[in-house]
Amino acid sequence: MRGRIFLPVATTLLLAGTAACTPSEQAPDRDTEAPPVRLVAYRGCDALLDELRRATLDKVGPYGLDGVPVDGIEALAKAPSAGKVPGGPAPAPEHSTTNSHEPGADEPDLVKTDGRRIVAFAQGRLRIVDPASRKVTHTLELPGGTRYDNGELLLSGDRVLVLTRQARAIPFEGPGRPLPGRALPQPTQTTRLTLVDLSGRPKVAGTMTSGADYLDARQTGSTVRVVMRSLPRIDFPGGDGEKKSVTANREAVRRAPLEAWLPSFDVEGGTSYRTPCDQVSRPSSYAGSSMLTMLTFDLAKGLGDPQPVAVTADGSTVYGNGESLYVTGTPPALFEWPRKKAVEPRTDVYKFDIRGSGRPSYVASGSVKGFLLNQYSMSEHEGNLRLAATTSRIGPGSRASQSSVYVLARHGPRLDQIGRLDGLGKGEQIRSVRFIGTTGYVVTFRQTDPLYVVDLRDPRRPRTTGQLKINGFSAYLHPTADGKLLGVGQDADASGRTSGLQVSLFDVSAGPRRLDAYKLPGAASQAEFEPHAFLYWPKTGLTAVPVTPRDGGPPETLVLKVTGAGVTKLGSVRPPGKDPGDGAGRSLVIGDTLWTFSGAGAHAVDASTLKGGDWLAYR
């Protein structure tokens, strides 16, 4: 089976629990493993349409589609851009790149650089900055764009791909839900991909639009894979009263053509593409009514045939390392409410081979109990996938949560569980995870912050080698140049009430211990939930995080110095003027200059003294 992929939508699960206890090492127990899962293809377009209609009919109510999760996309961790552009006029100066989870899978962000230029997206426009002269050299208005568009960038040589989404608010009069007979209007979404040539004066080299919602993208070399999500586009007429509304809406589903589920991808010039029926799959355990579609482009060749592949499912998390792409999803039964009995969350895992520039290949599938926090909850090492998940039964009779670390190995078309460690943070939730080599670090929190160190050298028998309890928690973990671990999160009192930003340095060479911490009361940082906002420059230990005071004060970039022994404050960088714009919260280093970015402009200062600032306002 070839070309089966999707990127899921985040789910929110309520957890309850009390006391913590010691984790337990456990080999796989077939009686407690999650059931196996795999992807299956459809037998032609007629079979695909029939199953899509049946899956959608199960969700139709008097107002249209009920119980379909439509938002809550998790922010994902990002990876670096290339450091040098082949064929460039001169070697690029030493520079940082987008903060990455894995070095082989770059992800889109608001700001990109190759060292010779900076490309930023702000106020709906593309900005090109010359770091040598510290000037905005070009501002490009994108076709069909507005200053309110949300957008991200991917950079490859002299080409930049701008991914923007435009959402139209749902018109609705009066409080509460509409009366039966007035079906709830479906939200409209336009995704626009714009390829810009930067070899001379910036110019648009191609565009593609779609009614599907852009979720995320991955880049390896010049190959980009863009993942979209779409709900069926059906006009639900409603009726007079709930019963007649349901009848009319279900009839609309029965009459809807296949194109209502398969979104189109329209290239400038009049060519449109849809996913071929033989490139659509579904999980073996259920059939969904929404569609997740993956497009493949070579930026060096332009926006031609996107070679779409799709899965009829929802999901939550994607992880890639340049060769493998793992996608996880939560079965839709978990969204059903109210419940007569509690159920235990399950995460389905799909592995794809993304080597090369063609369609990805489906490799294997598996399942684990619980749900993942984000992309950092997964890591592939020597062919095995490690995952950290929190479990808790949902609904009546739910029980205390706890977290586990799983190890999955491929056996033919299956990802089988070969190792498991249970009992991490009973009564708590996972707040951050980082796998580094054969070691995993898991932070759970309810009142205090246990940092667990997990030894994964024997993948069949993961075990804890230590844990550290401190007040507060780390929401993002980052390795330092000398083998220490840096945590960005919140300080808290003994009852678990948070009080402000906390940046902690941990020695994890033996039993974990905290060496130092910098605290900023009454503040929070975007880096706690968005790794792109975090900058660590190994050469000097410079660390930058955007900070927002909870009292409504102006945002700024906090600049720290991290050494092997401690964390100290170098200073802060604040945009001049009263209006900093919508805070982009990004930082990068080029040569000896620290650049910080907000929605209103870019700020360049000396990286060692934070002096000599130049403010480049966006016009």
Side-chain angles (χ1 to χ4, degrees), residues 170-190:
I170 300 176
F172 178 62
E173 299 178 0
R177 303 194 70 173
L179 295 173
R182 296 182 58 194
L184 186 66
Q186 294 196 56
T188 60
Q189 182 78 45
T190 299

Side-chain angles (χ1 to χ4, degrees), residues 246-326:
V246 172
T247 300
N249 291 339
R250 289 173 65 87
E251 183 61 27
V253 172
R254 293 188 181 96
R255 293 181 178 180
L258 184 57
E259 289 75 19
W261 286 270
L262 292 177
S264 66
F265 304 98
D266 307 319
V267 179
E268 182 183 17
T271 305
S272 294
Y273 299 91
R274 295 183 192 269
T275 309
C277 295
D278 64 355
Q279 295 296 331
V280 181
S281 297
R282 65 169 177 83
S284 58
S285 57
Y286 66 91
S289 60
S290 58
M291 190 76 62
L292 291 140
T293 307
M294 183 176 188
L295 314 177
T296 299
F297 303 99
D298 184 342
L299 297 189
K301 298 179 180 178
L303 301 180
D305 182 358
Q307 306 178 71
V309 296
V311 169
T312 59
D314 284 314
S316 56
T317 309
V318 61
Y319 160 77
N321 58 14
E323 294 186 352
S324 300
L325 189 71
Y326 292 89

Side-chain angles (χ1 to χ4, degrees), residues 171-211:
F172 178 62
E173 299 178 0
R177 303 194 70 173
L179 295 173
R182 296 182 58 194
L184 186 66
Q186 294 196 56
T188 60
Q189 182 78 45
T190 299
T191 295
R192 186 179 300 273
L193 279 60
T194 307
L195 186 62
V196 178
D197 188 338
L198 303 178
S199 58
R201 186 178 183 86
K203 61 181 180 180
V204 174
T207 62
M208 176 179 286
T209 58
S210 177

Side-chain angles (χ1 to χ4, degrees), residues 3 8 11 51 57 77 86 106 252 256 288 300 323 333 349 502 511 529 536 611:
T11 61
E51 190 150 326
L57 284 171
D106 191 17
E323 294 186 352
V349 184
Q502 178 173 262
F529 57 87
Y536 170 72
K611 305 295 183 182

Side-chain angles (χ1 to χ4, degrees), residues 78 98-99 107-112 119 121 151-154 530 532-533 584 586:
K78 311 297 180 178
T98 303
N99 184 30
E107 296 186 8
D109 196 13
L110 303 173
V111 180
K112 291 285 183 179
V119 186
F121 185 84
E152 297 179 313
L153 312 172
L154 286 167
E530 172 54 272
H532 287 180
R586 300 295 187 267

Side-chain angles (χ1 to χ4, degrees), residues 51-83:
E51 190 150 326
L52 285 169
R53 283 173 173 169
R54 285 192 286 110
T56 305
L57 284 171
D58 292 340
K59 299 179 175 66
V60 170
Y63 314 107
L65 293 181
D66 289 340
V68 179
V70 297
D71 57 10
I73 307 302
E74 292 283 355
L76 301 176
K78 311 297 180 178
S81 309

